[in-house]
Amino acid sequence: MKYLKLTATGCVAEYGVARALPEGAIAAPDSFDPAMAEQLYRTAGGDWVERPLCPVPVVVSGGIQISGCPEGVRAEVYDLDGTEHLASLTPDAAGLIAASLPEAGRYRIEVEGPEPLRPVAVEITVEIGVEIGVLP
């Protein structure tokens, strides 16, 4: 029997096969694709839907902005050239995260949030404080 163990928010914590349904598990739907386990969650109504992505960073003059962040979202900023962690950022009361990137270089911004949000990461190249490329 295929089974799933879900988190409190309906995200898949474990997928497996057992002779009997393990404690705390539910039977996996026949159509359930284990390759999609990290991308789906079960709503309170029992429907399987795609987990939404965290808000994506947008390059603005001199830095990045991430808008529409719900409570619990956190952004980590890394300098790829200097191989260092630059900042851990949380949204303000309006749900906005902003970071200045005044020096030329390559940066990675990782955004994580509470379930069911899925994390996102982007890499950007800045030349004299002006963005010249964004890679998903």
Side-chain angles (χ1 to χ4, degrees), residues 48-95:
W48 288 96
V49 296
E50 187 172 349
R51 291 173 60 188
L53 291 172
C54 282
V56 178
V58 175
V59 177
V60 296
S61 180
I64 55 109
Q65 285 186 350
I66 310 165
S67 58
C69 298
E71 186 175 333
V73 167
R74 183 183 72 252
E76 304 293 336
V77 181
Y78 298 91
D79 178 345
L80 296 177
D81 294 327
T83 62
E84 63 182 311
H85 178 257
L86 297 177
S88 291
L89 306 167
T90 56
D92 62 17

